[in-house]
């Protein structure tokens, strides 16, 4: 158990999301075995971020990109183990608790900011994906809409936000949605099978090779690392999985971490290799954007991906909302905010709290909706979230916490790897932000029929697209 203050636990992990129904005091049989804990961890790692791995391989180069994917997995594995070590050193088995024990209120507020940024930017990326994927499906059934893809995309996001996202985010028992994460994982696996099938079937052998297609290395290493870090980000669930284990020890935790990160790397590598080998230098930030609009199997995959995202969206919104509410309460009360983590925090008491929760939710959801049209490409959003939120959360802060909490000297064998983790994360974050921010919006466009799809059903039907064709020899990532 943890001796964290109620405030610290207010938004930590999914522990604040899933209703525990009095798990305290239950026999050990109710806790997870090592295989069960590994599955839960895999479920928290593998998500929508894997869809951008082929694009990351394109940015870094195929050979160097695969090498980076291994490096990112190894570093993530080490940082996850380091977090639990920090928990034992501080006696605080939560991420905010560890940071508060190491750096006081400053560490706590820094973590609060990053933990708000990560899900909020993820919500923006979900809007981008839903708009891109569902608009392609709609145009498949109503080809005439293809002449105004920008309007269709905006309309899709608006309708989904009003009629699906907001009701789900205002749902009083959000913990039930958290249990649907298994369905989200199943959707990702089915999409992976569809991507591998399309590669083996040869349906996209018409995709042209270019001088950029099989280059071993490119110069865009930093953005690629950001996308990979986003795909492996699971540190907000670390202590939840650890405390759910039977006979939780560091040795058992290391086994669970190795198994989980290893399997997640396998899924990411399969997505990356299959996707990149199919489209090579034309790989986009959202891999599903590469498939032709009349490809019904991939249209089904697009629907599955949208379902997966819509199941995840309210969970991300809940985390952002609880961080905002907790900070507002602390600001006005100037004292520790009482928060009962043994109850589903989505159950608010009192009409005033209910109204404030609704207003906060609407502000966050519409803020994400308003920002999302400024970019039509998933790649830059994944890079931004990976560089500014995921990498600091996954690498910089765990390393800093261990350096502060461990009694060993800075140049000791125990601390040097943690210091290297901090240096790596800091360099990637600062240099990545400097590279990415000036080009975040760029001239990236969606709603384009790829050159190898120009003879598809949409084109044969005579649908007119503004700038909807692409040179088959085009190797740019600005599709």
């Amino acid at each position: 158990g943890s001796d964290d203050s109620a405030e610290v636990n207010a938004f930590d992990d999914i522990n604040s999301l899933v209703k525990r129904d009095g798990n305290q005091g239950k026999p050990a049989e109710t806790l997870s075995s090592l295989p069960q804990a590994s599955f839960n961890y895999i479920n928290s790692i593998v998500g929508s971020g894997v869809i951008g791995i082929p694009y990351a391989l394109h940015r870094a180069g195929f050979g160097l990109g695969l090498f980076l994917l291994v490096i990112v997995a190894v570093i993530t594995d080490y940082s996850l183990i380091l977090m639990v070590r920090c928990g034992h050193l501080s006696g605080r088995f939560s991420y905010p608790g560890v940071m508060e024990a190491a750096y006081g209120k400053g560490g706590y507020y820094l973590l609060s900011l990053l933990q708000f940024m990560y899900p909020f930017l993820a919500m923006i990326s979900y809007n981008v994906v839903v708009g891109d994927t569902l608009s392609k499906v709609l145009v498949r059934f109503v080809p005439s809409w293809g002449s105004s893809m920008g309007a269709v995309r905006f309309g899709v996001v608006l309708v989904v936000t009003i009629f699906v996202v907001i009701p789900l985010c205002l749902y009083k028992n959000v913990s039930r949605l958290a249990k649907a994460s298994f369905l989200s994982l199943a959707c990702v696996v089915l999409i992976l099978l569809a991507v591998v099938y399309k590669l083996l079937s040869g349906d996209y052998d018409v995709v042209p090779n270019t001088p950029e297609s099989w280059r071993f290395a490119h110069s865009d290493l930093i953005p690629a690392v950001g996308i990979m870090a986003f795909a492996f980000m699971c540190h907000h669930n670390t202590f939840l999985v650890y405390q759910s284990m039977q006979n939780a020890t560091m040795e058992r935790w290391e086994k669970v971490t190795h198994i989980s990160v290893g399997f997640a790397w396998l899924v990411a590598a399969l997505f990356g290799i299959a996707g990149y080998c199919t489209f090579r230098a034309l790989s986009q930030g959202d891999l599903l954007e590469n498939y032709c609009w009349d490809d019904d199997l991939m249209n089904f995959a697009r629907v599955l991906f949208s379902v997966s995202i819509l199941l995840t969206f309210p969970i991300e919104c809940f985390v952002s909302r609880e961080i905002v509410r907790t900070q507002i309460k602390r600001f006005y009360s100037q004292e520790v905010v009482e928060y009962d983590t043994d109850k589903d925090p989505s159950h608010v008491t009192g009409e005033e709290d209910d109204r404030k929760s609704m207003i906060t939710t609407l502000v966050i959801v519409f803020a994400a909706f308003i920002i999302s049209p400024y970019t039509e490409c998933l790649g830059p959003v994944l890079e931004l979230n990976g560089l500014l939120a995921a990498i600091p959360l996954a690498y910089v802060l765990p390393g800093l916490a261990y350096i502060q909490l461990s009694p060993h000297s800075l140049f000791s064998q125990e601390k040097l790897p943690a210091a290297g983790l901090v240096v790596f994360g800091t360099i990637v974050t600062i240099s990545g932000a400097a590279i990415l921010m000036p080009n975040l919006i760029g001239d990236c466009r969606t709603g384009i029929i790829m050159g190898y799809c120009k003879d598809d059903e949409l084109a044969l039907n005579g649908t007119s697209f503004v700038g909807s064709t692409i040179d088959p020899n085009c190797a740019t990532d600005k599709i």
Side-chain angles (χ1 to χ4, degrees), residues 98-147:
V98 167
M99 288 303 299
E100 189 177 49
Y103 293 100
K105 292 182 179 180
Y108 171 78
Y109 284 124
L110 175 60
L111 183 69
S112 300
L113 174 62
L114 293 174
Q115 282 200 320
F116 173 82
M117 285 179 56
Y118 178 78
F120 183 73
L121 290 173
M123 291 164 62
I124 295 174
S125 69
Y126 294 164
N127 282 337
V128 173
V129 171
V130 169
D132 289 344
T133 55
L134 292 186
S135 61
K136 304 300 182 299
V137 177
L138 288 177
V139 170
R140 169 62 172 155
F141 293 103
V142 189
S144 60
W145 288 3
S147 59

Short mmCIF file of all heavy atoms in Angstrom, two decimals, residues 98-147:
data_model
loop_
_atom_site.label_atom_id
_atom_site.label_comp_id
_atom_site.label_asym_id
_atom_site.label_seq_id
_atom_site.Cartn_x
_atom_site.Cartn_y
_atom_site.Cartn_z
N VAL A 98 6.22 9.73 -5.73
CA VAL A 98 7.68 9.65 -5.89
C VAL A 98 8.27 11.02 -6.18
O VAL A 98 9.28 11.42 -5.59
CB VAL A 98 8.02 8.65 -7.02
CG1 VAL A 98 9.48 8.78 -7.42
CG2 VAL A 98 7.72 7.22 -6.57
N MET A 99 7.64 11.76 -7.10
CA MET A 99 8.17 13.08 -7.45
C MET A 99 8.05 14.06 -6.29
O MET A 99 8.94 14.90 -6.09
CB MET A 99 7.42 13.63 -8.67
CG MET A 99 7.77 12.93 -9.98
SD MET A 99 9.54 12.96 -10.35
CE MET A 99 9.84 14.73 -10.48
N GLU A 100 6.99 13.96 -5.52
CA GLU A 100 6.83 14.84 -4.35
C GLU A 100 7.87 14.50 -3.29
O GLU A 100 8.44 15.39 -2.65
CB GLU A 100 5.43 14.74 -3.79
CG GLU A 100 5.13 15.77 -2.71
CD GLU A 100 3.71 15.70 -2.23
OE1 GLU A 100 3.24 14.58 -1.92
OE2 GLU A 100 3.05 16.74 -2.15
N ALA A 101 8.13 13.20 -3.10
CA ALA A 101 9.13 12.79 -2.12
C ALA A 101 10.53 13.24 -2.54
O ALA A 101 11.37 13.58 -1.71
CB ALA A 101 9.10 11.28 -1.94
N ALA A 102 10.78 13.26 -3.85
CA ALA A 102 12.12 13.60 -4.34
C ALA A 102 12.33 15.10 -4.43
O ALA A 102 13.40 15.60 -4.05
CB ALA A 102 12.35 12.96 -5.71
N TYR A 103 11.33 15.85 -4.91
CA TYR A 103 11.54 17.27 -5.21
C TYR A 103 10.45 18.18 -4.64
O TYR A 103 10.36 19.33 -5.05
CB TYR A 103 11.63 17.48 -6.73
CG TYR A 103 12.85 16.84 -7.33
CD1 TYR A 103 12.76 15.60 -7.97
CD2 TYR A 103 14.10 17.44 -7.23
CE1 TYR A 103 13.89 15.01 -8.51
CE2 TYR A 103 15.23 16.84 -7.77
CZ TYR A 103 15.12 15.63 -8.41
OH TYR A 103 16.23 15.04 -8.93
N GLY A 104 9.66 17.66 -3.71
CA GLY A 104 8.68 18.50 -3.06
C GLY A 104 7.56 18.94 -3.99
O GLY A 104 7.26 18.28 -4.99
N LYS A 105 6.97 20.11 -3.68
CA LYS A 105 5.84 20.60 -4.46
C LYS A 105 6.24 20.93 -5.90
O LYS A 105 5.43 20.79 -6.82
CB LYS A 105 5.24 21.85 -3.80
CG LYS A 105 4.55 21.56 -2.48
CD LYS A 105 3.93 22.83 -1.90
CE LYS A 105 3.21 22.53 -0.59
NZ LYS A 105 2.59 23.76 -0.02
N GLY A 106 7.50 21.36 -6.10
CA GLY A 106 7.96 21.66 -7.45
C GLY A 106 7.90 20.44 -8.35
O GLY A 106 7.43 20.51 -9.49
N GLY A 107 8.37 19.30 -7.84
CA GLY A 107 8.31 18.06 -8.61
C GLY A 107 6.88 17.62 -8.85
O GLY A 107 6.54 17.13 -9.94
N TYR A 108 6.04 17.83 -7.84
CA TYR A 108 4.64 17.45 -7.97
C TYR A 108 3.94 18.27 -9.05
O TYR A 108 3.21 17.74 -9.90
CB TYR A 108 3.93 17.63 -6.62
CG TYR A 108 2.43 17.48 -6.68
CD1 TYR A 108 1.85 16.23 -6.75
CD2 TYR A 108 1.60 18.60 -6.67
CE1 TYR A 108 0.48 16.09 -6.81
CE2 TYR A 108 0.23 18.47 -6.72
CZ TYR A 108 -0.32 17.21 -6.79
OH TYR A 108 -1.68 17.08 -6.84
N TYR A 109 4.17 19.58 -9.06
CA TYR A 109 3.50 20.44 -10.05
C TYR A 109 4.05 20.20 -11.46
O TYR A 109 3.30 20.28 -12.44
CB TYR A 109 3.64 21.91 -9.66
CG TYR A 109 2.72 22.31 -8.54
CD1 TYR A 109 3.22 22.89 -7.37
CD2 TYR A 109 1.36 22.11 -8.63
CE1 TYR A 109 2.38 23.26 -6.33
CE2 TYR A 109 0.50 22.47 -7.60
CZ TYR A 109 1.02 23.05 -6.45
OH TYR A 109 0.17 23.40 -5.44
N LEU A 110 5.34 19.94 -11.58
CA LEU A 110 5.90 19.64 -12.89
C LEU A 110 5.28 18.37 -13.46
O LEU A 110 4.90 18.32 -14.64
CB LEU A 110 7.42 19.47 -12.80
CG LEU A 110 8.13 19.04 -14.09
CD1 LEU A 110 7.90 20.06 -15.20
CD2 LEU A 110 9.61 18.83 -13.84
N LEU A 111 5.15 17.35 -12.61
CA LEU A 111 4.52 16.12 -13.06
C LEU A 111 3.06 16.37 -13.43
O LEU A 111 2.55 15.81 -14.40
CB LEU A 111 4.62 15.05 -11.97
CG LEU A 111 4.05 13.69 -12.38
CD1 LEU A 111 4.92 13.04 -13.44
CD2 LEU A 111 3.90 12.77 -11.18
N SER A 112 2.37 17.21 -12.65
CA SER A 112 0.97 17.52 -12.94
C SER A 112 0.84 18.13 -14.33
O SER A 112 -0.06 17.77 -15.10
CB SER A 112 0.40 18.49 -11.89
OG SER A 112 0.47 17.93 -10.60
N LEU A 113 1.74 19.05 -14.66
CA LEU A 113 1.70 19.70 -15.97
C LEU A 113 1.90 18.68 -17.09
O LEU A 113 1.15 18.67 -18.08
CB LEU A 113 2.78 20.79 -16.04
CG LEU A 113 2.95 21.48 -17.40
CD1 LEU A 113 1.68 22.21 -17.79
CD2 LEU A 113 4.15 22.43 -17.36
N LEU A 114 2.91 17.83 -16.94
CA LEU A 114 3.19 16.85 -17.99
C LEU A 114 2.09 15.80 -18.09
O LEU A 114 1.75 15.36 -19.19
CB LEU A 114 4.53 16.17 -17.72
CG LEU A 114 5.76 17.07 -17.84
CD1 LEU A 114 7.02 16.33 -17.42
CD2 LEU A 114 5.91 17.57 -19.28
N GLN A 115 1.53 15.43 -16.94
CA GLN A 115 0.45 14.44 -16.98
C GLN A 115 -0.82 15.02 -17.56
O GLN A 115 -1.69 14.27 -18.01
CB GLN A 115 0.19 13.87 -15.58
CG GLN A 115 1.21 12.83 -15.17
CD GLN A 115 0.70 11.94 -14.05
OE1 GLN A 115 0.05 12.41 -13.12
NE2 GLN A 115 0.98 10.66 -14.13
N PHE A 116 -0.97 16.34 -17.55
CA PHE A 116 -2.08 16.96 -18.26
C PHE A 116 -1.78 17.03 -19.76
O PHE A 116 -2.64 16.76 -20.60
CB PHE A 116 -2.35 18.36 -17.73
CG PHE A 116 -3.38 19.12 -18.54
CD1 PHE A 116 -4.73 18.90 -18.33
CD2 PHE A 116 -2.99 20.02 -19.51
CE1 PHE A 116 -5.69 19.57 -19.09
CE2 PHE A 116 -3.93 20.70 -20.28
CZ PHE A 116 -5.28 20.47 -20.06
N MET A 117 -0.56 17.41 -20.11
CA MET A 117 -0.19 17.57 -21.52
C MET A 117 -0.31 16.26 -22.29
O MET A 117 -0.81 16.24 -23.42
CB MET A 117 1.25 18.09 -21.64
CG MET A 117 1.42 19.56 -21.33
SD MET A 117 3.15 20.05 -21.47
CE MET A 117 3.51 19.53 -23.17
N TYR A 118 0.13 15.17 -21.68
CA TYR A 118 0.16 13.90 -22.42
C TYR A 118 -1.24 13.46 -22.86
O TYR A 118 -1.46 13.22 -24.06
CB TYR A 118 0.83 12.82 -21.56
CG TYR A 118 0.85 11.47 -22.23
CD1 TYR A 118 1.78 11.20 -23.23
CD2 TYR A 118 -0.06 10.49 -21.89
CE1 TYR A 118 1.81 9.96 -23.87
CE2 TYR A 118 -0.05 9.26 -22.51
CZ TYR A 118 0.88 9.00 -23.50
OH TYR A 118 0.88 7.78 -24.13
N PRO A 119 -2.23 13.34 -21.96
CA PRO A 119 -3.55 12.92 -22.44
C PRO A 119 -4.24 13.98 -23.29
O PRO A 119 -4.99 13.63 -24.20
CB PRO A 119 -4.33 12.66 -21.14
CG PRO A 119 -3.64 13.45 -20.10
CD PRO A 119 -2.19 13.46 -20.50
N PHE A 120 -3.97 15.27 -23.03
CA PHE A 120 -4.62 16.31 -23.83
C PHE A 120 -4.13 16.26 -25.28
O PHE A 120 -4.93 16.34 -26.22
CB PHE A 120 -4.36 17.69 -23.22
CG PHE A 120 -5.06 18.81 -23.95
CD1 PHE A 120 -6.43 18.97 -23.85
CD2 PHE A 120 -4.34 19.69 -24.74
CE1 PHE A 120 -7.08 19.99 -24.53
CE2 PHE A 120 -4.97 20.70 -25.43
CZ PHE A 120 -6.35 20.86 -25.31
N LEU A 121 -2.82 16.14 -25.47
CA LEU A 121 -2.29 16.01 -26.83
C LEU A 121 -2.74 14.70 -27.47
O LEU A 121 -2.95 14.63 -28.68
CB LEU A 121 -0.77 16.09 -26.82
CG LEU A 121 -0.18 17.47 -26.50
CD1 LEU A 121 1.33 17.39 -26.35
CD2 LEU A 121 -0.55 18.47 -27.59
N ALA A 122 -2.91 13.66 -26.66
CA ALA A 122 -3.44 12.40 -27.19
C ALA A 122 -4.87 12.59 -27.69
O ALA A 122 -5.24 12.04 -28.73
CB ALA A 122 -3.39 11.32 -26.11
N MET A 123 -5.67 13.39 -26.98
CA MET A 123 -7.03 13.66 -27.42
C MET A 123 -7.04 14.38 -28.77
O MET A 123 -7.87 14.10 -29.64
CB MET A 123 -7.77 14.49 -26.37
CG MET A 123 -8.08 13.74 -25.09
SD MET A 123 -8.53 14.84 -23.72
CE MET A 123 -10.00 15.62 -24.36
N ILE A 124 -6.11 15.31 -28.95
CA ILE A 124 -6.00 16.00 -30.24
C ILE A 124 -5.64 15.01 -31.34
O ILE A 124 -6.23 15.03 -32.44
CB ILE A 124 -4.95 17.12 -30.16
CG1 ILE A 124 -5.40 18.20 -29.17
CG2 ILE A 124 -4.69 17.73 -31.53
CD1 ILE A 124 -4.36 19.27 -28.92
N SER A 125 -4.71 14.11 -31.05
CA SER A 125 -4.33 13.12 -32.06
C SER A 125 -5.50 12.19 -32.37
O SER A 125 -5.67 11.76 -33.52
CB SER A 125 -3.12 12.30 -31.57
OG SER A 125 -3.47 11.46 -30.49
N TYR A 126 -6.34 11.88 -31.38
CA TYR A 126 -7.50 11.03 -31.63
C TYR A 126 -8.48 11.73 -32.58
O TYR A 126 -9.07 11.08 -33.46
CB TYR A 126 -8.21 10.71 -30.32
CG TYR A 126 -7.39 9.86 -29.37
CD1 TYR A 126 -7.73 9.75 -28.03
CD2 TYR A 126 -6.27 9.16 -29.81
CE1 TYR A 126 -6.98 8.98 -27.16
CE2 TYR A 126 -5.52 8.39 -28.95
CZ TYR A 126 -5.88 8.30 -27.62
OH TYR A 126 -5.14 7.53 -26.77
N ASN A 127 -8.66 13.04 -32.40
CA ASN A 127 -9.53 13.78 -33.32
C ASN A 127 -9.00 13.73 -34.75
O ASN A 127 -9.76 13.58 -35.71
CB ASN A 127 -9.66 15.24 -32.87
CG ASN A 127 -10.62 15.42 -31.72
OD1 ASN A 127 -11.50 14.60 -31.50
ND2 ASN A 127 -10.45 16.49 -30.96
N VAL A 128 -7.68 13.87 -34.88
CA VAL A 128 -7.06 13.81 -36.21
C VAL A 128 -7.30 12.45 -36.84
O VAL A 128 -7.69 12.34 -38.01
CB VAL A 128 -5.55 14.11 -36.11
CG1 VAL A 128 -4.87 13.88 -37.46
CG2 VAL A 128 -5.32 15.54 -35.64
N VAL A 129 -7.10 11.38 -36.07
CA VAL A 129 -7.26 10.03 -36.60
C VAL A 129 -8.71 9.75 -36.96
O VAL A 129 -9.00 9.22 -38.05
CB VAL A 129 -6.74 8.99 -35.58
CG1 VAL A 129 -7.10 7.59 -36.02
CG2 VAL A 129 -5.24 9.12 -35.41
N VAL A 130 -9.63 10.08 -36.07
CA VAL A 130 -11.05 9.81 -36.34
C VAL A 130 -11.50 10.57 -37.58
O VAL A 130 -12.22 10.03 -38.44
CB VAL A 130 -11.92 10.19 -35.13
CG1 VAL A 130 -13.40 10.17 -35.50
CG2 VAL A 130 -11.67 9.22 -33.98
N GLY A 131 -11.09 11.83 -37.70
CA GLY A 131 -11.45 12.60 -38.89
C GLY A 131 -10.90 11.98 -40.16
O GLY A 131 -11.59 11.90 -41.18
N ASP A 132 -9.65 11.54 -40.12
CA ASP A 132 -9.02 10.95 -41.30
C ASP A 132 -9.66 9.61 -41.67
O ASP A 132 -9.97 9.36 -42.83
CB ASP A 132 -7.52 10.75 -41.07
CG ASP A 132 -6.77 12.07 -41.05
OD1 ASP A 132 -7.34 13.07 -41.51
OD2 ASP A 132 -5.63 12.10 -40.56
N THR A 133 -9.81 8.73 -40.69
CA THR A 133 -10.24 7.36 -40.98
C THR A 133 -11.71 7.29 -41.37
O THR A 133 -12.06 6.67 -42.38
CB THR A 133 -9.98 6.46 -39.77
OG1 THR A 133 -10.61 7.01 -38.61
CG2 THR A 133 -8.49 6.33 -39.51
N LEU A 134 -12.58 7.90 -40.59
CA LEU A 134 -14.02 7.80 -40.88
C LEU A 134 -14.41 8.56 -42.14
O LEU A 134 -15.36 8.17 -42.83
CB LEU A 134 -14.83 8.29 -39.68
CG LEU A 134 -14.75 7.43 -38.42
CD1 LEU A 134 -15.72 7.95 -37.36
CD2 LEU A 134 -15.07 5.97 -38.74
N SER A 135 -13.70 9.64 -42.47
CA SER A 135 -14.02 10.37 -43.69
C SER A 135 -13.76 9.49 -44.91
O SER A 135 -14.52 9.55 -45.90
CB SER A 135 -13.21 11.67 -43.77
OG SER A 135 -11.82 11.41 -43.80
N LYS A 136 -12.71 8.66 -44.86
CA LYS A 136 -12.44 7.75 -45.98
C LYS A 136 -13.55 6.73 -46.13
O LYS A 136 -13.96 6.38 -47.24
CB LYS A 136 -11.11 7.02 -45.76
CG LYS A 136 -9.91 7.92 -45.55
CD LYS A 136 -9.66 8.82 -46.74
CE LYS A 136 -8.43 9.68 -46.52
NZ LYS A 136 -8.51 10.58 -45.38
N VAL A 137 -14.06 6.23 -45.01
CA VAL A 137 -15.13 5.25 -45.05
C VAL A 137 -16.40 5.87 -45.63
O VAL A 137 -17.10 5.27 -46.45
CB VAL A 137 -15.39 4.68 -43.64
CG1 VAL A 137 -16.57 3.70 -43.67
CG2 VAL A 137 -14.14 3.98 -43.11
N LEU A 138 -16.71 7.10 -45.23
CA LEU A 138 -17.92 7.77 -45.73
C LEU A 138 -17.82 8.02 -47.24
O LEU A 138 -18.80 7.83 -47.97
CB LEU A 138 -18.12 9.09 -44.99
CG LEU A 138 -18.58 8.98 -43.53
CD1 LEU A 138 -18.66 10.37 -42.90
CD2 LEU A 138 -19.92 8.28 -43.43
N VAL A 139 -16.65 8.45 -47.69
CA VAL A 139 -16.48 8.72 -49.12
C VAL A 139 -16.58 7.43 -49.93
O VAL A 139 -16.99 7.45 -51.09
CB VAL A 139 -15.14 9.44 -49.37
CG1 VAL A 139 -14.83 9.52 -50.85
CG2 VAL A 139 -15.18 10.83 -48.77
N ARG A 140 -16.24 6.32 -49.33
CA ARG A 140 -16.40 5.02 -50.01
C ARG A 140 -17.87 4.79 -50.36
O ARG A 140 -18.20 4.26 -51.42
CB ARG A 140 -15.86 3.91 -49.11
CG ARG A 140 -16.18 2.49 -49.57
CD ARG A 140 -15.56 2.20 -50.90
NE ARG A 140 -15.72 0.78 -51.25
CZ ARG A 140 -15.72 0.32 -52.48
NH1 ARG A 140 -15.61 1.17 -53.51
NH2 ARG A 140 -15.84 -0.97 -52.73
N PHE A 141 -18.78 5.20 -49.45
CA PHE A 141 -20.21 5.01 -49.69
C PHE A 141 -20.85 6.17 -50.43
O PHE A 141 -21.84 5.99 -51.13
CB PHE A 141 -20.92 4.78 -48.35
CG PHE A 141 -20.55 3.50 -47.68
CD1 PHE A 141 -19.67 3.49 -46.60
CD2 PHE A 141 -21.04 2.28 -48.12
CE1 PHE A 141 -19.30 2.31 -45.98
CE2 PHE A 141 -20.69 1.09 -47.51
CZ PHE A 141 -19.82 1.10 -46.44
N VAL A 142 -20.30 7.38 -50.27
CA VAL A 142 -20.82 8.57 -50.96
C VAL A 142 -19.65 9.23 -51.70
O VAL A 142 -19.07 10.21 -51.22
CB VAL A 142 -21.48 9.55 -49.97
CG1 VAL A 142 -22.21 10.66 -50.74
CG2 VAL A 142 -22.42 8.85 -49.02
N PRO A 143 -19.30 8.73 -52.88
CA PRO A 143 -18.11 9.23 -53.58
C PRO A 143 -18.16 10.72 -53.88
O PRO A 143 -17.10 11.37 -53.95
CB PRO A 143 -18.10 8.41 -54.88
CG PRO A 143 -18.86 7.17 -54.55
CD PRO A 143 -19.91 7.59 -53.58
N SER A 144 -19.34 11.30 -54.05
CA SER A 144 -19.42 12.72 -54.40
C SER A 144 -18.86 13.62 -53.30
O SER A 144 -18.47 14.76 -53.56
CB SER A 144 -20.87 13.10 -54.70
OG SER A 144 -21.70 12.87 -53.56
N TRP A 145 -18.81 13.11 -52.06
CA TRP A 145 -18.27 13.90 -50.96
C TRP A 145 -16.76 14.07 -51.07
O TRP A 145 -16.16 14.88 -50.38
CB TRP A 145 -18.61 13.25 -49.63
CG TRP A 145 -20.06 13.39 -49.26
CD1 TRP A 145 -21.04 13.95 -50.01
CD2 TRP A 145 -20.68 12.93 -48.06
NE1 TRP A 145 -22.26 13.88 -49.36
CE2 TRP A 145 -22.06 13.26 -48.15
CE3 TRP A 145 -20.23 12.28 -46.92
CZ2 TRP A 145 -22.98 12.96 -47.15
CZ3 TRP A 145 -21.13 11.97 -45.92
CH2 TRP A 145 -22.49 12.31 -46.02
N GLY A 146 -16.14 13.29 -51.96
CA GLY A 146 -14.69 13.35 -52.09
C GLY A 146 -14.19 14.68 -52.60
O GLY A 146 -13.00 14.98 -52.46
N SER A 147 -15.07 15.49 -53.19
CA SER A 147 -14.64 16.79 -53.72
C SER A 147 -14.44 17.82 -52.63
O SER A 147 -13.92 18.91 -52.89
CB SER A 147 -15.66 17.30 -54.74
OG SER A 147 -16.93 17.43 -54.13
#
